[in-house]
Every structure is written in C-alpha cells, then in structure tokens.
C-alpha cells in the first residue's frame, strides 16, 4: 500500500523540465509592486528564468520561462494573490 501511494504521489508531482513555456507579462510601474513580484517569481521552482524584456514610463515587461503549463502558472500566482488578464498575447497583471 505504501508503494502504491508513493508511486501515485511521484506521478502527480512529476515535473517535466523539457517544457519551456515562454510567458510575456506586463506590470504597471510601481517599485514596491515590481520588487515583490520579482521576489515571488524567484521563489517559484517551476520558473526556469525571468527577465525584463523592455520598459517604458507606464509598464515593465517581463519574459518568463516556465517549466509547465500556463494554467499551473496561473494557479500558483493566484495562491500568491496575483490575477492576470490573459486576453492578449502579453498578459497584464491586475
């Protein structure tokens, strides 16, 4: 029984690092918000890399390489109280 549960747990928690899903996100320019956002990104194990791709006076644009599906990213970020508008190619942090 123990082996069955361990195998089940391993199967549902398996990380496929071959998936490298690029996400483009824009966040309004607010130093405190950006600092907190970057710290939270750094704490997520499934994020392979992230960087600022460009910025202007209104927004900072991030490129995030995520090692799973976009839905998993949204779930993780929702747990951290981040909500995204995903209607466009570049997601907007609300």
């Amino acid at each position: 029984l123990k082996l069955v549960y361990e195998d089940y747990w391993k199967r549902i928690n398996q990380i496929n690092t071959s998936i490298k899903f690029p996400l483009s996100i824009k966040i309004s320019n607010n130093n405190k918000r950006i600092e907190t956002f970057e710290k939270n990104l750094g704490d997520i194990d499934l994020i392979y890399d992230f960087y600022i791709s460009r910025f202007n006076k209104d927004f900072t644009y991030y490129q995030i390489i995520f090692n799973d599906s976009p839905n998993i990213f949204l779930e993780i970020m929702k747990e951290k109280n981040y909500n995204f508008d995903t209607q466009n190619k570049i997601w907007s942090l609300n």
Side-chain angles (χ1 to χ4, degrees):
L1 187 59
K2 180 182 177 214
L3 291 175
V4 170
Y5 281 115
E6 285 178 353
D7 289 344
Y8 174 74
W9 184 87
K10 287 176 189 176
R11 196 169 53 253
I12 64 170
N13 289 302
Q14 190 174 29
I15 297 173
N16 185 353
T17 57
S18 66
I19 297 173
K20 298 213 184 302
F21 188 78
L23 300 168
S24 297
I25 295 176
K26 75 176 181 179
I27 181 172
S28 60
N29 283 339
N30 175 319
N31 289 340
K32 180 79 170 157
R33 189 173 191 198
I34 289 172
E35 182 180 340
T36 304
F37 181 68
E38 287 184 1
K39 182 189 177 313
N40 284 318
L41 289 178
D43 291 342
I44 298 172
D45 291 333
L46 292 173
I47 292 181
Y48 176 75
D49 192 18
F50 69 92
Y51 56 90
I52 295 173
S53 59
R54 64 184 172 159
F55 59 91
N56 60 32
K57 67 181 179 85
D58 298 319
F59 296 102
T60 300
Y61 295 82
Y62 285 89
Q63 190 70 27
I64 299 170
I65 308 300
F66 191 67
N67 285 342
D68 212 323
S69 73
N71 291 334
I72 300 296
F73 177 80
L74 292 172
E75 287 177 23
I76 292 170
M77 295 307 278
K78 189 171 186 176
E79 290 173 4
K80 297 179 179 291
N81 296 321
Y82 290 105
N83 294 311
F84 293 90
D85 177 7
T86 59
Q87 298 302 312
N88 298 316
K89 185 177 178 179
I90 298 176
W91 294 356
S92 178
L93 181 60
N94 297 329

